[in-house]
Structure formats: C-alpha cells, structure tokens
Amino acid sequence: MTDRPLRSSRLVRAVAGLAVVALVARLLLLGARPAHFDEGRVAFWTLHYFETGEFHYRYAIHGPLIQHVGAALFALVGPSDFVTRLPVAVVGGLLPLSALWLRHRLSETETLALAFFLAANPVLLYYGRFMRSTVLVAAFCFVAFAAFVRAYDGFGARYLYLGAASLALGFGAKENAILYVFCWLGAAALLVDAKLFRLRGGRSGASWAADRFDAFADRFRARGVDPRSWVAGWLSHGVGAGLLFSVVVVFLYAPRGGDWVGLYDALANPLLFPTTLSTTVDQIITGYGYWFGGGGEKTLTSFIESLGYLLRPVAGYAGPLVGLALAGTAIERYGRGSPRLFVMGCAYWGLVSIPGYALGTDINNAWILVNALVPLAVPAAVALALVVEVGREALAADDAVNAGIVGLLLLIVVGSVAGGAIGGVYMNATEPENALVQYAQPSAEMRPAVDRLVAAADATDGTDALVYDSTGDLVDMDTDAPRTPACIRWFNALSLPWYLEAHDVDVTCADAPERVPEELPPVVVVVGDCTLDRTVDCRSQPGAMEPPAELADQLDGYERYPYLHRTTGGNDFDGVIVYVDPEA
C-alpha cells in the first residue's frame, strides 16, 4: 500500500486545520472549571513530586506519566488548574493528526471524517479538558495502533518502534492500556476467523491460507530475498521494539527519591540497577493486581445499571458518532464485496469496549466512553463519508430530494456536536443535569470562593485560614497524616486541599468551639448547614446554607462564598462556605 502524497495536500491542510480547532477548543477557558476530586488528588501528588523530588507509583491515582509531565510544567510556570490539564488538552487536540497515518487505508473523505470525530466529539472534548489519564491512554494507544498498521503495511520498521514507544506512553498513562492490547488480539482473532471461514469453490480456509503463504514466499524469491532472512529481520526489530517499550515503561514507573533505591541512584551507580528494577516491577505488579484483581463482583443488576448509566452521555453527546459507527460497521460488513479488515477490527474493538468497561468499572462515570469512542470513530467515519458522497452525487445530478436528506443528516451531526460542546463542555460543565459530570465535581461557585481565599491568603502574614467543622466531615485534627494540610479530613475535603497546598495557604483547624481562636484569620472555611431552613433545598440553592451556629456571631462582617462540595451528591455533607474578611 502507498500513501497519498503529503506535500500541498488538501487533505493534510484540512486535517491540520481540524487539529488547530481541536487545540483551541481544549485550551479555551481551560482553568475555569473547579478541580474535580480526582483532579485535585493527582494534582496534589504532582505538586508533592515537584516540591520534594520524591516519586513512586501510587496506583490509586493511576499511571505516572501525567505526574512527570505536570511536575516539569510546574517547574516552568507554576501550579494551576490550567497547567495540570494542559498535557491532556494538548494530546487530545493533536489526536486528529493520527488520521493521516491511516489515510492509505481510508478514502480522503473518510480520513477527514475520522479527524473530525476525534477533534469535535463532545465527550472527547470534555475529558480532553480534564486532568484524568483516560484521554491520554486512548490517544497514545490509538497512535500506537496506527503505527503498527503502517509497519504491517510495509512503511518501514521505524513505525514498529514508534508504535512501541507510543504504547509504552499509554501504559505509563493508565493501567487499562493492557485492555487495549487484549482488544486488538481479540479483534485480530475475529478477523482471522472471518478470513479463513469462507467457501471458495469447495476449498478450505486452511488450503487458502497455505496458498497465500506460498504466494508470499514467491514474491520474495522473485525479488531475490530469502523469506527466512526477512522474517529474522523483523523478529530482531520486534525484539528491539520490545526493549524500547520496556525502557520507557521502567523510566516512567521507577521510583525517585524517598526510601527506595531509585532511578537516579541507579544512574549514578549501575550496580544498583537490579535493585531499582526489582522495586519498579514489584510496584507495577502490585498496582496492576489492585486494578485487575481486587475489584468487587459485578452482578447482572449492577452491570445493567452501569450500562444504562452510559446511555445518557451516549444519547446526549455521542449519539451521532455511535449511530454512524453502527451504520458504518453494517455498511462495511454487508455492503462491500470485500470488507476492509482494518475497519472491521476497529468496529469490533470499539463495540466490545462499551459493555466491557461497563462490566469492569467500579464507579459509574462517563469518561470510560472515551475508550470506545476513539476506535468507533473509524467506522463512524466510513458512514459519514458515504453520506457526503451521496450528497455530492445528488448535487451533481440535481437530485433535490436526496441532497436535502443528506443536508439534514449533516446538519444533525454538526448541530449535535456544536450543541453538545457549547452546552455540556463550556456552559454547564459542573451542572448535575449534565451527563458528563461525575458526582465528585464541585459546583462552579467554588471558583470565586477559591480565588478570594487565595487572594486573602496572599495578602496576609501568619495563619491564613481556619477550617472549622465539629461533625468530623471536613476536619479530623490528624497531625501525622502524610498529606497536607494534615488536620483536614483530606479525602472528604478534596479538591480543596489541592488549592490550599498549591497556593501555600497556612491552615489551622478546629473541631470544637473552644478550639476556635478569639481572633479569626482572614479566611474561615466551614461546612454549610442545611438544617436551619428545611423548606429550602440547599442543593438547588447553595446560598441558603448557613454557618455553624456557634461561629455565626464571629463571622459577622465576613464575605461569604458558598458552593456545593459535590455537584450531584455522594458525600456526607452538601456544601462548604468560605468566609473572607473584606479588609484582608
């Protein structure tokens, strides 16, 4: 197979234009949404790595890649929500360019349609603006897949190495990269079976395969190449690619600093490398064992619930992509004399991912759809390209009816993408009715609360903030916790601790009225009380929250900034109120 020429290609310019649009869409107002629970947790440990130089694989926050990149960015421009999300935004924005590596397998219209879906689908856009590694693992594994396809199609061994490096980055991003490999193997098995299980004038699939092998060998002999030496050469490249994969994975997962013999110790003294490697492998085995061996049992009821949970974001934000993917799969399988195995493989990979991830997930969330939508973009592109071609033919034939139908279909696709992006990604990024919002997302009102908190802390000396809670929901007074501020009930409080640590806010805590200082600091953080007026729903009206009665008099004159701690519930308390002394 051969590529279409890249130089002065309209296709390349069009795909590059979509990538530019994708980047701008992901960078626009990137730091506006308050950090989700998961974002705050990963960002905190990234900041810890940057400040202390100590790193080891914490499997609870997934792969280490984003921490390495984030720490480097913190060193350059400092910590912020924008900076933490920047690596995901850039990778997601550049993902449409991967379509160009597959242009030899697709028509120009199909290649452009693939780039369009990767650039503009609202689910990929929303989580491309989110400090989670889901988009990273999907992007790097898809790029690896495209590279392996090019290596298989004869574009050179360099693509085998590029694929290995990209796959290693996928493994460094998130543990479910191994599921991508299983999906590829499963899809390949289905394709081999489909290729062999066919009637050819009474010939068996085995005899057909033997004839193909003989033809393969004859082509090499005709060129004066020994097939055995060719196979040996590719085996050596395979070994080399495997070594490259291993080096990248070890580099990403190896500990630094702390109580381990880490990567830098081994670089300084190569005799220590076996110890470092053993520690790294042990940590990887432990982490992967946690994610793939320690999950709870999935009942039929819980599986149906998880699958049903995904229908809302599919219907609201991925309907055209999934619908066209189903149509494209049917078109490819039943509408062509010889279905393209590449397209069918992507269809199998994507379609099995939706029920597969619903079966394996322990928390219902929309971000798992990313793993399915990226491969499904290929058969969706096939269907969309067919629609476009039908429209072109209708226009050329002055067929107003078919041209109108095609125009309506394209309007629905583009309108759905634009509407989903505007409404779900930018305007309602934290609202509970948004199917893309996971419950551990604080409400939008947290942003002004944090901004005023940080401004007041920057303007004062000594203790900047008091966190008060007598219920045990927000404060536990633990002085030995490894996470800071130690006195906060850290996991309940996320993502607030990330902001406190990132901006060096000096925090003290109190869990009883007698521990509250007579002179309050310029910032006081309390759990919002929704019990004073039971006629008001504090979830719909966070402004109705009141401070604890024992602090009400002392907080008189402070500005109040209430926000919902979890947008859609799921925790023991509804909200938080940040009080700021206006004189600060």
Side-chain angles (χ1 to χ4, degrees):
M1 294 186 178
T2 58
D3 273 334
R4 299 177 182 88
L6 281 175
R7 187 174 299 172
S8 301
S9 168
R10 291 180 304 169
L11 174 63
V12 174
R13 293 197 297 271
V15 171
L18 283 173
V20 170
V21 172
L23 274 172
V24 171
R26 283 156 177 77
L27 296 176
L28 181 65
L29 303 175
L30 184 59
R33 178 177 51 81
H36 180 274
F37 174 102
D38 282 359
E39 291 182 296
R41 181 169 56 168
V42 179
F44 174 89
W45 287 115
T46 302
L47 183 63
H48 173 79
Y49 175 31
F50 162 64
E51 291 178 337
T52 67
E54 187 275 325
F55 162 83
H56 70 276
Y57 170 39
R58 292 179 170 87
Y59 50 80
I61 58 175
H62 292 299
L65 175 64
I66 199 169
Q67 297 171 67
H68 291 299
V69 178
L73 290 174
F74 287 175
L76 291 174
V77 294
S80 69
D81 286 342
F82 180 93
V83 173
T84 64
R85 295 166 182 160
L86 184 60
V88 180
V90 170
V91 170
L94 294 178
L95 180 59
L97 295 176
S98 64
L100 291 174
W101 270 4
L102 300 170
R103 67 191 184 279
H104 66 289
R105 288 274 188 167
L106 302 169
S107 70
E108 286 197 1
T109 307
E110 289 169 341
T111 303
L112 188 59
L114 172 59
F116 166 75
F117 282 122
L118 296 178
N121 175 261
V123 179
L124 300 183
L125 177 57
Y126 187 92
Y127 291 108
R129 298 162 51 83
F130 202 106
M131 193 201 188
R132 273 192 68 87
S133 293
T134 307
V135 166
L136 294 181
V137 68
F140 284 122
C141 287
F142 189 75
V143 169
F145 172 74
F148 292 145
V149 168
R150 289 182 74 81
Y152 175 82
D153 288 339
F155 287 98
R158 66 183 182 277
Y159 286 102
L160 189 62
Y161 293 95
L162 291 170
S166 186
L167 184 61
L169 293 176
F171 272 78
K174 201 173 180 183
E175 295 81 3
N176 69 300
I178 195 171
L179 299 181
Y180 279 75
V181 178
F182 291 155
C183 286
W184 298 342
L185 294 175
L190 290 175
L191 296 177
V192 169
D193 178 72
K195 199 70 175 177
L196 295 178
F197 186 71
R198 56 176 62 190
L199 296 177
R200 293 175 172 271
R203 297 174 62 206
S204 67
S207 64
W208 174 83
D211 290 345
R212 290 297 300 269
F213 180 80
D214 290 339
F216 170 80
D218 289 341
R219 284 200 300 271
F220 278 94
R221 294 189 185 98
R223 291 184 294 176
V225 177
D226 184 355
R228 291 172 297 182
S229 64
W230 181 87
V231 170
W234 273 99
L235 285 175
S236 66
H237 285 306
V239 171
L243 288 174
L244 176 61
F245 172 86
S246 302
V247 168
V248 175
V249 168
V250 169
F251 173 80
L252 292 173
Y253 278 89
R256 280 87 155 155
D259 299 327
W260 296 275
V261 177
L263 178 65
Y264 301 134
D265 299 312
L267 292 176
N269 182 1
L271 294 177
L272 297 176
F273 182 75
T275 302
T276 301
L277 182 60
S278 175
T279 300
T280 303
V281 171
D282 287 345
Q283 291 181 352
I284 292 174
I285 291 174
T286 300
Y288 276 65
Y290 170 82
W291 285 113
F292 297 108
E297 291 186 4
K298 200 80 169 182
T299 64
L300 179 60
T301 301
S302 62
F303 168 67
I304 293 174
E305 289 176 354
S306 296
L307 199 57
Y309 183 91
L310 295 178
L311 294 181
R312 282 187 63 213
V314 166
Y317 301 103
L321 194 160
V322 173
L324 287 170
L326 293 173
T329 302
I331 291 167
E332 195 67 34
R333 182 170 177 83
Y334 306 114
R336 294 175 64 99
S338 180
R340 289 171 291 182
L341 301 185
F342 162 72
V343 175
M344 294 307 303
C346 290
Y348 295 149
W349 166 14
L351 290 173
V352 76
S353 293
I354 295 179
Y357 278 94
L359 182 64
T361 188
D362 57 342
I363 299 176
N364 289 330
N365 53 78
W367 56 65
I368 62 175
L369 279 175
V370 170
N371 301 290
L373 295 182
V374 170
L376 285 178
V378 173
V382 170
L384 184 59
L386 180 61
V387 171
V388 172
E389 292 300 327
V390 170
R392 285 175 178 168
E393 293 175 0
L395 289 175
D398 292 328
D399 185 346
V401 174
N402 282 334
I405 293 173
V406 168
L408 180 61
L409 288 174
L410 294 179
L411 183 63
I412 291 173
V413 172
V414 175
S416 174
V417 168
I422 294 171
V425 178
Y426 298 108
M427 294 184 62
N428 301 298
T430 66
E431 299 304 312
E433 61 269 16
N434 185 348
L436 298 177
V437 177
Q438 204 259 357
Y439 77 83
Q441 171 67 54
S443 67
E445 289 80 9
M446 185 183 190
R447 176 59 64 196
V450 167
D451 289 345
R452 291 292 287 123
L453 184 159
V454 171
D458 287 343
T460 59
D461 297 322
T463 300
D464 299 316
L466 167 70
V467 180
Y468 175 80
D469 171 39
S470 60
T471 67
D473 289 327
L474 193 59
V475 170
D476 60 11
M477 303 303 290
D478 185 352
T479 59
D480 298 322
R483 299 163 295 273
T484 54
C487 59
I488 288 180
R489 192 165 182 178
W490 203 78
F491 288 101
N492 271 24
L494 281 170
S495 57
L496 182 61
W498 147 243
Y499 291 114
L500 297 176
E501 185 69 11
H503 297 284
D504 294 321
V505 180
D506 189 347
V507 174
T508 187
C509 297
D511 61 352
E514 59 271 18
R515 294 190 176 184
V516 176
E518 292 185 10
E519 183 176 348
L520 294 179
V523 177
V524 179
V525 181
V526 300
V527 173
D529 191 341
C530 283
T531 63
L532 299 181
D533 186 352
R534 293 187 177 275
T535 64
V536 176
D537 179 10
C538 289
R539 301 212 61 77
S540 61
Q541 300 182 44
M545 291 187 293
E546 295 294 338
E550 59 269 29
L551 259 65
D553 291 340
Q554 285 181 274
L555 292 172
D556 186 37
Y558 276 61
E559 297 174 350
R560 50 179 276 133
Y561 296 88
Y563 65 89
L564 293 180
H565 185 57
R566 300 283 182 259
T567 297
T568 58
N571 60 296
D572 293 332
F573 58 101
D574 288 311
V576 170
I577 309 175
V578 175
Y579 285 88
V580 179
D581 183 352
E583 296 183 3

